[in-house]
Amino acid sequence: MSNDQDQQHPLQKERILSRGDRKRAAQRARQQAKRKADSMPAVDAMDGPVKTRVVDAELVSPAPNGGLIGVLREGYLLRLIVRRQLARMYSASLLGLMWSYIQPAIRFTVYYFVFGVLLNFHKNVPNFAIHLFCGIVFVHYFSETFGGGTRSIWMNRALVKKMALPREIFPVSQAIVALIHTFPQLVLLVFFCLVSGWTTDLTGIVSGVLGLLIVVTFAVALALLFSAINVYYRDFQNIVGTINQFMHFMVPMMYPFSRVAGYADTHPVLYQLYMANPVCNAVILLQRFFWQGVNVANGQGDSKAAVFPPHMLERGVITLGACLVLLVVAQRIFTRLENKLPERL
Amino acid sequence: MNTPVAPPATTSIVVEDVCKTFTLQYHRTLKQIAVATARRLPLSETFQALSDVSFTVEQGESVGLMGLNGSGKSTLLKLINGVMRPEVGTVLTRGRVAGLIATGAGFHPQLTGRENLFLNAAILGMGEAETKRKFDEIVAFANIGRFLDTPVSHYSSGMYSRLGFSIAVHVDADIFLADEVLAVGDRPFKRKCLKKMQEIRAEGTTIFYVSHATASVRSMCDRVLVLEAGRLMYDSKTTPDGSVDGAIRFLHYDDESDDEEQADEELGSEV
C-alpha cells in the first residue's frame, strides 16, 4: 500500500537520492561500524545442544487489548500501579495523605461560613452541615477521578512509552486512588449521620445505590476519555480543572435543591440543563439517602427545604444508562486514540 | 490479516507487511497553526518509519537487527514488544515477550529499586509469588547491593540499566528483546549480560538483538536482518547464500573503501 509513497520518505530525501548521497551514507555506516565494532564484547555460544522450547500459546498480537475489563482482570498489576500513584503524590510532602483531608476540611469550613452563616442557609436548611458535607464528599471523589485521571497517562509517560501494558490502567488506578482518599470522608459522613439520628426507607436505599453508581461510572468514563485526549492537547487538563471548580456550584450542596426547583416553570431550559448534569443527579440522590434520612429521623422530613425533583428515581435510572453508554463510547474512542499515544508523549 | 496458510506451531514471531507512520507536528498552538495556514506551510508531515516489513522467526532463532541510526530498528522492536501497533499489517507473537526498549525501562524515579523491581516484573507478566521466588537472583545479578531501598533517581546510569536488564532477563520469557540498552554498562557487565543471553539462547528462547557491534552480533545471532530507511533490505535467511557475515558486508557497503583513514581518525578522537 505504501509503494506509491516511495519518494516521500524523509530519510530517502536526505540520504539515498543520488549516488553521492549513497556514498556518504556508506561512509557513515562504515565509520559507525568501525567505532562500534568493539563496543560490545563477543561472548561465545554455550557448549552443548540448544534445547527446543515448546511454547504452548497461540500467536497473538503483543499489544495489550483487553480494555477496561482486561485491566480489572490484572488485579496485581493494578494494585502496584495504585501504590506507585500514591507514592508519587506524596513524595517530598510533609503531611502526605493528610492533604486529602485538609483540603475538603478547609473547603467545608469556608462554604459553611459563607453560605451557612453569611447567607443564612444554616437557619433555613435543616442539618445544613450534613447537606454540605454529603455534597463535598462525592464532588471531591468526582473531581479527583476526573482531574487526576485526565493527567494520568501524561504523568506516567515513562511507562507508557517503554512497556506494553493496557493504558486504561492509569485512569482506572486514579479512580481507585480517589476512592482511597474519599473513603475515610465517607466513613466520617456516615458517622455524623448516625450521631445526628438517621433512618431510611426503600426509596432512600435505591437512591443511594443509584447515586453512587452514577458518580463512579460518570467519573471513570470522563477520566478514560480525557486521559487520552490530554496527550494530544494538553489544554484539556486546564479545561478539566475549570470544570471541576464549576462543579461545586452546579450541584445542590451549598444551597438546597428547593432553591432551584422554583425555576422549573420560569426558566425551563436552564432548569433542564442544570438537571442534565449526572453529578447533580447523583448528589440529589445521595442527599435523599444521607441528608433526608437525618431529616426524617429528626422530624424535619417535610421541611420546606427538603424538596426533591419529581421522578427522581426514573431520572436516576436514565442517567445511569446514559453514563454506561458514555463509558462504552469513551472506551471506543480511547482504543482509537491509544494507537498513537507512545509517539505523542 | 488474510493468511492462507496458518503458520506452524513453532513460529515465534510473525511480521507481515508492516508499516508504521509517525506524524511530525510542526505547530502546536492555535496561534502557530493560524500563522502557518496563512503562509500555506504544511501543518504536519508524516514520516514512514517502517514500510512493508515482513518476516517470520522460528522459536529458538537468535536474530540480530542491524542498520544505521534512524533506520527503524527501535520502532520494529517496539512493535514486537507491543508498545506500539502497526497501522498496516500484523505483528503476532507467541508466548511471553520480555525485553528492554531503550535505556532505563519504565522505572519511576521516586520509587525505590525494590518497588520498581516488583512493578516492572508485574508489567512483564510475573506474578507476586514468581517475583518473590526470583527476587534474590535478580538483585544478585543486578549487583546493586545496599542501594536496593534507595529511590532509583539516586542510581548511576549503570545501576539503572543493570537492574532493568536483570529483571527482564529473569522473566523466563519465550521471546527476549534487547535494544542497545547494554551500551551504558561497563565492559565486565556487558560480558555478563551477553553470557546470560547465551544461556537463554541455549534454552531455546527466541532472541532479538539490536546492536552495531559486528563481532558481538556474529557470536550471538544465527540470522541477521538489516533495515535501511524503514525497509528490510537484507535477511540472511531468505537471501540466497545469505549469512551473518553477508549481512554485515551488506551493511558496510563493502563495494567502496576509500575512507579508511578518516574512520581511523575519528576512532582516535573518541578513545
Side-chain angles (χ1 to χ4, degrees):
Chain A
M1 98 133 223
S2 64
N3 282 337
D4 51 336
Q5 308 178 339
D6 268 0
Q7 295 309 314
Q8 289 182 357
H9 199 299
L11 274 184
Q12 284 182 340
K13 267 185 215 161
E14 242 171 62
R15 288 188 186 160
I16 313 170
L17 264 186
S18 68
R19 183 154 167 77
D21 282 341
R22 195 179 160 85
K23 205 168 159 187
R24 247 170 283 141
Q27 261 178 22
R28 262 207 308 277
R30 254 198 309 279
Q31 283 166 14
Q32 185 176 34
K34 277 249 164 68
R35 252 177 297 149
K36 300 265 180 124
D38 289 333
S39 64
M40 292 296 293
V43 174
D44 290 331
M46 308 280 289
D47 298 328
V50 173
K51 284 184 210 152
T52 314
R53 192 184 175 103
V54 179
V55 183
D56 183 27
E58 290 298 307
L59 267 176
V60 289
S61 164
N65 49 358
L68 276 179
I69 299 156
V71 166
L72 296 179
R73 237 180 274 135
E74 296 202 45
Y76 171 58
L77 182 57
L78 188 58
R79 214 163 67 228
L80 289 177
I81 299 268
V82 166
R83 215 179 291 163
R84 173 189 149 122
Q85 212 109 309
L86 286 172
R88 192 197 55 215
M89 283 176 132
Y90 299 118
S91 64
S93 155
L94 286 177
L95 288 171
L97 254 167
M98 285 296 288
W99 273 115
S100 58
Y101 309 118
I102 297 172
Q103 269 177 349
I106 293 173
R107 201 171 286 151
F108 177 82
T109 316
V110 170
Y111 289 166
Y112 189 82
F113 277 100
V114 173
F115 290 90
V117 179
L118 282 179
L119 296 178
N120 252 343
F121 282 123
H122 181 52
K123 277 185 197 148
N124 305 334
V125 182
N127 305 301
F128 177 70
I130 286 179
H131 186 272
L132 179 59
F133 192 55
C134 175
I136 284 184
V137 170
F138 293 103
V139 170
H140 181 255
Y141 174 77
F142 171 79
S143 47
E144 205 181 320
T145 306
F146 187 25
T150 299
R151 287 189 304 270
S152 61
I153 293 187
W154 173 247
M155 298 288 258
N156 287 291
R157 55 191 180 278
L159 265 187
V160 174
K161 271 198 297 198
K162 285 177 183 160
M163 311 286 280
L165 76 171
R167 277 74 190 239
E168 288 90 346
I169 207 161
F170 298 110
V172 169
S173 71
Q174 184 58 44
I176 295 173
V177 167
L179 193 68
I180 292 172
H181 285 164
T182 321
F183 188 72
Q185 297 174 26
L186 192 60
V187 171
L188 223 57
L189 175 64
V190 170
F191 173 75
F192 286 138
C193 284
L194 292 179
V195 167
S196 319
W198 179 79
T199 178
T200 193
D201 53 357
L202 188 63
T203 317
I205 292 170
V206 174
S207 304
V209 172
L210 262 181
L212 268 182
L213 288 176
I214 290 172
V215 77
V216 172
T217 323
F218 189 54
V220 171
L222 288 184
L224 189 64
L225 183 63
F226 284 91
S227 64
I229 296 178
N230 186 51
V231 173
Y232 288 77
Y233 299 103
R234 223 95 62 231
D235 310 76
F236 277 91
Q237 58 194 44
N238 299 326
I239 295 173
V240 166
T242 315
I243 294 175
N244 276 337
Q245 278 182 344
F246 272 131
M247 202 50 91
H248 288 278
F249 301 92
M250 299 304 290
V251 302
M253 65 183 203
M254 303 171 203
Y255 50 85
F257 176 75
S258 54
R259 279 290 180 112
V260 180
Y263 292 106
D265 298 324
T266 51
H267 298 81
V269 177
L270 284 180
Y271 175 81
Q272 289 302 336
L273 270 178
Y274 178 89
M275 290 301 292
N277 176 7
V279 184
C280 174
N281 274 291
V283 169
I284 290 173
L285 288 164
L286 288 158
Q287 298 283 24
R288 174 68 182 77
F289 181 67
F290 290 104
W291 174 64
Q292 181 69 351
V294 176
N295 288 345
V296 170
N298 291 311
Q300 296 160 309
D302 40 10
S303 131
K304 250 196 221 165
V307 174
F308 290 91
H311 311 297
M312 179 175 61
L313 292 184
E314 291 89 328
R315 205 183 259 276
V317 172
I318 294 168
T319 309
L320 181 59
C323 289
L324 287 171
V325 171
L326 181 70
L327 188 62
V328 173
V329 172
Q331 171 74 68
R332 287 265 175 89
I333 297 175
F334 187 93
T335 309
R336 291 189 66 174
L337 294 179
E338 193 190 4
N339 287 332
K340 286 264 172 197
L341 283 188
E343 61 201 77
R344 287 296 184 118
L345 285 168
Chain B
M1 292 280 166
N2 205 352
T3 32
V5 188
T10 54
T11 308
S12 182
I13 304 171
V14 177
V15 174
E16 211 175 71
D17 304 327
V18 162
C19 298
K20 180 75 196 174
T21 314
F22 293 124
T23 313
L24 307 172
Q25 262 204 332
Y26 296 132
H27 311 284
R28 285 220 73 138
T29 67
L30 268 180
K31 185 182 158 196
Q32 286 171 338
I33 290 173
V35 171
T37 319
R39 291 188 187 163
R40 294 168 190 255
L41 292 173
L43 290 181
S44 66
E45 193 173 305
T46 56
F47 165 76
Q48 192 138 18
L50 288 175
S51 25
D52 286 325
V53 175
S54 300
F55 60 89
T56 57
V57 178
E58 294 296 305
Q59 182 66 44
E61 261 188 303
S62 177
V63 182
L65 188 56
M66 302 185 83
L68 282 175
N69 291 341
S71 56
K73 301 186 299 291
S74 292
T75 308
L76 182 57
L77 220 60
K78 280 181 184 164
L79 290 174
I80 296 173
N81 193 36
V83 173
M84 289 182 181
R85 286 177 207 174
E87 281 100 37
V88 182
T90 43
V91 175
L92 301 173
T93 55
R94 197 191 298 279
R96 201 189 256 182
V97 185
L100 294 163
I101 306 291
T103 32
F107 283 159
H108 193 270
Q110 258 108 53
L111 293 185
T112 66
R114 184 192 301 272
E115 288 161 326
N116 268 310
L117 191 158
F118 272 92
L119 181 63
N120 236 350
I123 296 172
L124 291 173
M126 280 161 77
E128 194 168 8
E130 193 183 350
T131 314
K132 278 187 176 148
R133 205 174 62 237
K134 290 177 182 166
F135 186 81
D136 292 334
E137 222 181 309
I138 295 173
V139 173
F141 189 91
N143 192 20
I144 48 172
R146 64 200 173 85
F147 289 98
L148 187 61
D149 288 308
T150 312
V152 293
S153 53
H154 298 285
Y155 282 24
S156 71
S157 55
M159 287 159 74
Y160 209 84
S161 63
R162 283 207 303 268
L163 185 58
F165 182 83
S166 182
I167 298 166
V169 91
H170 284 91
V171 171
D172 189 30
D174 303 305
I175 300 168
F176 185 80
L177 312 173
D179 202 342
E180 289 150 291
V181 269
L182 308 169
V184 276
D186 53 14
R187 208 158 175 86
F189 183 71
K190 283 180 187 173
R191 191 174 293 280
K192 193 170 154 192
C193 291
L194 289 171
K195 215 172 143 211
K196 187 79 190 171
M197 277 170 68
Q198 291 285 17
E199 271 173 45
I200 303 178
R201 183 185 172 196
E203 282 163 19
T205 305
T206 308
I207 289 184
F208 228 89
Y209 179 46
V210 177
S211 181
H212 293 296
T214 48
S216 188
V217 171
R218 203 176 279 137
S219 65
M220 178 63 70
C221 307
D222 35 45
R223 177 180 175 188
V224 174
L225 305 177
V226 177
L227 282 177
E228 198 179 287
R231 287 171 190 280
L232 184 60
M233 300 301 276
Y234 191 97
D235 180 347
S236 66
K237 200 179 183 187
T238 54
T239 311
D241 305 323
S243 67
V244 174
D245 285 324
I248 291 166
R249 266 200 304 282
F250 176 86
L251 184 69
H252 294 178
Y253 305 90
D254 270 2
D255 51 318
E256 315 177 39
S257 54
D258 52 350
D259 59 337
E260 299 283 330
E261 284 165 41
Q262 202 187 338
D264 284 343
E265 264 172 36
E266 213 165 293
L267 185 71
S269 70
E270 209 168 274
V271 170

